[in-house]
Coordinates of all heavy atoms in Angstrom, one line a residue:
K26 N 64.9 133.8 112.3 CA 64.0 134.6 113.0 C 62.8 135.0 112.2 O 61.7 135.1 112.7 CB 64.8 135.9 113.5 CG 65.8 135.6 114.6 CD 66.5 136.9 115.1 CE 67.5 136.6 116.2 NZ 68.2 137.9 116.6
G27 N 63.1 135.3 110.9 CA 62.0 135.7 110.0 C 61.0 134.5 109.9 O 59.8 134.7 109.8
A28 N 61.5 133.3 109.7 CA 60.7 132.1 109.6 C 59.9 131.9 110.9 O 58.7 131.5 110.8 CB 61.5 130.9 109.3
G29 N 60.5 132.2 112.0 CA 59.8 132.0 113.3 C 58.6 133.0 113.4 O 57.5 132.7 113.8
T30 N 58.9 134.3 113.0 CA 57.8 135.3 113.0 C 56.7 134.9 112.0 O 55.5 135.0 112.4 CB 58.4 136.6 112.5 OG1 59.4 137.0 113.4 CG2 57.3 137.7 112.5
T31 N 57.0 134.3 110.9 CA 56.0 133.9 109.9 C 55.1 132.8 110.5 O 53.9 132.8 110.4 CB 56.7 133.4 108.6 OG1 57.3 134.4 108.0 CG2 55.7 132.7 107.7
L32 N 55.8 131.8 111.2 CA 55.0 130.7 111.8 C 54.1 131.2 112.9 O 53.0 130.7 113.0 CB 56.0 129.6 112.3 CG 56.5 128.6 111.3 CD1 57.5 127.7 112.0 CD2 55.4 127.8 110.7
V33 N 54.6 132.0 113.8 CA 53.8 132.5 114.9 C 52.6 133.3 114.4 O 51.5 133.0 114.9 CB 54.7 133.5 115.8 CG1 53.8 134.2 116.8 CG2 55.7 132.7 116.5
I34 N 52.8 134.2 113.4 CA 51.7 134.9 112.9 C 50.6 134.0 112.2 O 49.4 134.1 112.4 CB 52.1 136.0 111.8 CG1 53.0 137.0 112.5 CG2 51.0 136.6 111.1 CD1 53.6 138.0 111.6
A35 N 51.1 133.0 111.5 CA 50.2 132.1 110.8 C 49.5 131.2 111.7 O 48.2 131.0 111.6 CB 51.1 131.2 109.8
L36 N 50.1 130.6 112.7 CA 49.5 129.8 113.7 C 48.5 130.5 114.5 O 47.3 130.1 114.7 CB 50.5 129.1 114.6 CG 51.4 128.0 113.9 CD1 52.5 127.6 114.9 CD2 50.6 126.8 113.6
V37 N 48.9 131.6 115.1 CA 48.0 132.4 116.0 C 46.8 132.9 115.2 O 45.6 132.8 115.7 CB 48.7 133.5 116.7 CG1 47.8 134.4 117.6 CG2 49.8 132.9 117.7
S38 N 47.1 133.5 114.1 CA 46.0 134.1 113.3 C 45.0 133.0 112.7 O 43.8 133.3 112.6 CB 46.6 134.9 112.1 OG 47.4 135.9 112.6
T39 N 45.5 131.9 112.4 CA 44.6 130.8 111.9 C 43.7 130.3 113.1 O 42.5 130.1 112.8 CB 45.4 129.6 111.4 OG1 46.3 130.0 110.3 CG2 44.5 128.5 110.9
F40 N 44.3 130.2 114.3 CA 43.5 129.9 115.4 C 42.4 130.9 115.7 O 41.2 130.5 115.9 CB 44.3 129.7 116.7 CG 43.6 129.4 117.9 CD1 43.1 128.1 118.2 CD2 43.4 130.4 118.9 CE1 42.4 127.9 119.3 CE2 42.7 130.1 120.1 CZ 42.2 128.8 120.3
I41 N 42.7 132.2 115.7 CA 41.7 133.2 115.9 C 40.7 133.3 114.8 O 39.5 133.4 115.0 CB 42.4 134.6 116.1 CG1 43.4 134.6 117.3 CG2 41.4 135.7 116.2 CD1 44.2 135.9 117.4
G42 N 41.2 133.1 113.6 CA 40.4 133.1 112.4 C 39.4 131.9 112.4 O 38.2 132.1 112.0
C43 N 39.8 130.8 113.0 CA 38.9 129.7 113.1 C 37.7 130.0 114.1 O 36.6 129.6 113.9 CB 39.6 128.4 113.6 SG 40.6 127.6 112.2
I44 N 38.1 130.7 115.2 CA 37.1 131.1 116.2 C 36.1 132.0 115.5 O 34.9 131.9 115.7 CB 37.7 131.7 117.4 CG1 38.6 130.7 118.1 CG2 36.7 132.3 118.3 CD1 39.4 131.3 119.3

Side-chain angles (χ1 to χ4, degrees):
K26 288 181 179 179
T30 301
T31 294
L32 277 177
V33 170
I34 294 174
L36 287 169
V37 174
S38 299
T39 301
F40 176 74
I41 297 173
C43 285
I44 295 175

